[in-house]
Amino acid sequence: MTEPPQPPNQPPAPSGYGHLPGPPQQGYGYPQGENPYAQQAPYAQQPPTVQQQPPGHAYPPPPGMPTVPVAAAVAGGPGMPPKKKRTVLIAASAAAAVLAVAVVGYVGFAGSDEDPKPPVAQESTDAKPSGSPSVDQGDGNGNGTGEQADLNSGRKQGEDKVLWLKTAKVDGPGMGVESAGQWVVGDTVVKSVWKSLSGYAVTDGKEKWTLPFPAPVCSVARGTTPEGKTAVMYRDGEGENATCTQLRVVDLKTGKEVWSKEVPKEGLFDLFTSPTLAMTGDTVAVSRGGTASAFKISNGDKLFGSAMGTGCKPDGYEAGNGKMIALATCSDADASAEVHGVDPVTGQKAWAFRLPKKFKVTSIYSVDPLVLDIGNEEAKQRSIVVLGPDGKQTATLAGEGSFAVGCGDTGLFRALTTCPSAVVDAGTLYLPTAAEAGKANEIVAFDLASGKAKWRTPAGDKRTLTPIKAANGQLIAYRKAEEDQGGEVVSIPAGGGTPTALLRHPSGPAAPIESSFRTPKLDYVDGRFFISTSRLQAKGTDEKLLMVFGK
């Protein structure tokens, strides 16, 4: 296939780049499965802001970029279109009656939140809406209830256990409900479901507390403070005109509210469309629809906001590892894009990186060190660039394969967040290649100093590998389960090498449930693997919510 023309003074892109067009990334869920515990909500998908490119095409680096070998060319990689003046769009959400949410599990039962008025942690009740049996912890002989198969039955030699499975029975609106939050804090794992947060003991799944909200939770921060606090947003009412304006900080160890407040508007056209939350230090930033503002996590005091004005105005903030950046649109004829280094306390700009003409940031892989995916849709160009602490470009990544693109931008007005499947540690970026049906993907390690690929580890046997985190000189990754085969948690040395299995999840009745999680939340903490759904159908029947594996 003919390669696209190259810009002046740039080496040709090697053939084969972008030859594995991948499935939709995080945020594009598919319903699947006939098992009620395996079903996912059939909700409308948002089109990615980055168009897909036919296989076999490569994207040359933008003009003016350093002449490192070649930008990492990837299938589907042109950038977002330039931002224009936005027409006011009001999305009518489905009206939801105030109905009971019952969370049940194979170990322990959660109370209902039929009365979500007091914003304090509630003790678990003895409600048992579905009578789900507990998971057998030992020999795999089952528990004799006959209601559900023992999830640890039929374990093969060397396979580890399902510690517990939590299910949810929700009567909600026709489009389903969000369940996007998952945090592991000490001996508690916390999960959000529609209008509540619940904490469960990591060892056996018994409910420790439930914190109700007066309206549906609509946005959650991915991380926590060192003390175990996080930020959550919820709607200002139940009606179809309710918007996502209410901000609450929660102590996840106790399930108690720290404070709540309504986020004030920054201007007339501050619509609070699809807000995102970014936390670092004592700052939480709320980004929405081209506007953003920041508050103290400790007491809710406002720190700064992206007020209207001339020049280059921040559209949204992202943070990580003690650093904060702003993505900004400039008020010139080309609506040029900039990236700013920002003081997370004052909001003052420390430096600015101007993207090449008509380039936009399409994905954020890391904030510190700063690694950005940028693209020009018109020219079909794309680069993954590394910026130093002063905002100057230090490297352009070069590597063959199809990598995630637009993974942090799932809607027209949603601010970019760091891609959950990108991991950075000790000057190395780990990215998974996209997986084509019936083919294995790879994890590729990039040296951020040189931009070159250091090593590649294939998932093997038509499987899919996803990075989770890096620690102690090891990359921790998840090998996705198949219908007839359990997943695995593996470690890969930072220098490359053969993966070592940390957990081998059981096959048998557990595998179809594990394999049916779509766009799941993943974590591996203290030898336990946590996988949960991000959305529920809410049809009043039991659905899988959170599954935990261990020794």
Side-chain angles (χ1 to χ4, degrees):
M1 181 175 290
T2 304
E3 299 289 346
Q6 305 294 319
N9 302 319
Q10 296 289 339
S15 300
Y17 276 38
H19 61 287
L20 289 177
Q25 302 300 319
Q26 290 273 357
Y28 308 98
Y30 286 98
Q32 175 169 338
E34 297 179 358
N35 186 326
Y37 297 98
Q39 293 174 348
Q40 292 290 321
Y43 57 98
Q45 300 176 23
Q46 293 286 353
T49 56
V50 181
Q51 296 180 358
Q52 295 296 315
Q53 181 73 5
H57 283 57
Y59 303 129
M65 290 292 177
T67 55
V68 228
V70 63
V74 231
M80 295 189 300
K83 293 184 179 178
K84 302 177 181 178
K85 293 182 179 180
R86 290 165 174 152
T87 305
V88 178
L89 298 177
I90 301 178
S93 61
V98 182
L99 299 171
V101 180
V103 179
V104 300
Y106 281 93
V107 178
F109 300 95
S112 70
D113 65 352
E114 294 178 358
D115 183 10
K117 294 178 182 179
V120 296
Q122 297 179 340
E123 293 296 330
S124 302
T125 70
D126 195 34
K128 301 179 180 180
S130 69
S132 298
S134 62
V135 171
D136 186 279
Q137 297 294 310
D139 58 10
N141 292 326
N143 49 40
T145 65
E147 296 183 35
Q148 286 291 329
D150 173 10
L151 297 183
N152 287 313
S153 65
R155 282 192 301 139
K156 301 174 183 176
Q157 185 175 2
E159 290 184 340
D160 298 302
K161 299 177 182 179
V162 178
L163 297 182
W164 48 275
L165 169 68
K166 191 67 63 176
T167 63
K169 181 184 288 187
V170 180
D171 284 325
M175 294 297 291
V177 299
E178 296 288 342
S179 184
Q182 175 183 291
W183 306 268
V184 182
V185 181
D187 61 357
T188 305
V189 54
V190 181
K191 185 65 185 165
S192 69
V193 177
W194 195 21
K195 294 187 289 185
S196 67
L197 265 61
S198 294
Y200 308 99
V202 296
T203 53
D204 58 14
K206 290 182 179 178
E207 184 182 302
K208 301 177 73 173
W209 54 261
T210 289
L211 178 65
F213 286 70
V217 172
C218 46
S219 183
V220 298
R222 289 178 55 196
T224 68
T225 67
E227 300 79 25
K229 298 175 184 176
T230 198
V232 176
M233 293 192 75
Y234 58 99
R235 296 189 178 277
D236 56 12
E238 292 280 355
E240 62 181 14
N241 294 324
T243 54
C244 191
T245 60
Q246 308 300 304
L247 178 62
R248 178 180 290 183
V249 169
V250 179
D251 185 334
L252 298 177
K253 292 183 178 179
T254 64
K256 295 183 178 179
E257 171 190 329
V258 179
W259 55 262
S260 290
K261 69 181 300 178
E262 182 172 12
V263 178
K265 288 188 175 183
E266 293 289 339
L268 181 61
F269 299 105
D270 192 351
L271 302 180
F272 287 88
T273 305
S274 301
T276 60
L277 296 169
M279 300 196 313
T280 186
D282 194 30
T283 299
V284 55
V286 182
S287 304
R288 69 272 183 187
T291 305
S293 45
F295 306 87
K296 280 189 174 182
I297 296 174
S298 55
N299 58 20
D301 289 349
K302 184 175 179 181
L303 294 171
F304 56 88
S306 59
M308 301 293 290
T310 58
C312 300
K313 173 183 170 294
D315 299 319
Y317 299 98
E318 178 60 320
N321 200 23
K323 303 292 185 180
M324 178 172 281
I325 62 168
L327 303 183
T329 301
C330 304
S331 56
D332 55 20
D334 296 319
S336 301
E338 281 190 354
V339 180
H340 299 165
V342 175
D343 185 318
V345 177
T346 66
Q348 292 183 345
K349 179 172 62 176
W351 52 260
F353 172 76
R354 175 67 66 95
L355 274 64
K357 185 177 180 180
K358 296 187 178 181
F359 270 74
K360 305 296 175 185
V361 176
T362 60
S363 296
I364 302 171
Y365 294 132
S366 171
V367 173
D368 182 35
L370 185 51
V371 186
L372 304 171
D373 206 318
I374 65 175
N376 179 337
E377 181 181 20
E378 294 182 8
K380 301 293 188 292
Q381 293 176 321
R382 180 186 176 197
S383 287
I384 299 178
V385 298
V386 183
L387 305 185
D390 56 359
K392 294 182 180 179
Q393 184 177 338
T394 60
T396 304
L397 267 58
E400 184 174 356
S402 302
F403 299 92
V405 60
C407 54
D409 188 4
T410 59
L412 181 60
F413 294 119
R414 185 178 294 276
L416 286 173
T417 58
T418 304
C419 295
S421 59
V423 172
V424 171
D425 182 60
T428 302
L429 169 68
Y430 303 96
L431 282 180
T433 62
E436 189 175 1
K439 295 184 179 180
N441 80 329
E442 298 176 310
I443 291 178
V444 184
F446 292 94
D447 185 332
L448 295 181
S450 66
K452 296 180 180 180
K454 297 167 60 176
W455 50 261
R456 315 170 75 93
T457 295
D461 192 27
K462 303 179 182 179
R463 304 292 290 275
T464 300
L465 271 175
T466 301
I468 300 177
K469 62 182 179 181
N472 303 319
Q474 300 283 321
L475 172 68
I476 307 299
Y478 172 56
R479 181 178 279 124
K480 189 179 183 299
E482 300 293 327
E483 183 76 17
D484 58 351
Q485 188 174 3
E488 288 184 331
V489 178
V490 301
S491 66
I492 306 171
T498 303
T500 299
L502 302 177
L503 286 177
R504 289 187 173 94
H505 302 167
S507 302
I513 300 174
E514 181 188 359
S515 66
S516 66
F517 281 93
R518 301 300 167 194
T519 61
K521 305 297 178 181
L522 309 174
D523 213 339
Y524 179 74
V525 181
D526 295 334
R528 301 181 187 93
F529 176 72
F530 303 82
I531 181 170
S532 69
T533 189
S534 56
R535 194 170 181 87
L536 294 167
Q537 289 191 30
K539 301 297 184 184
T541 58
D542 280 347
E543 300 176 75
K544 68 182 185 301
L545 176 68
L546 172 62
M547 200 171 190
V548 183
F549 299 83
K551 294 292 185 180

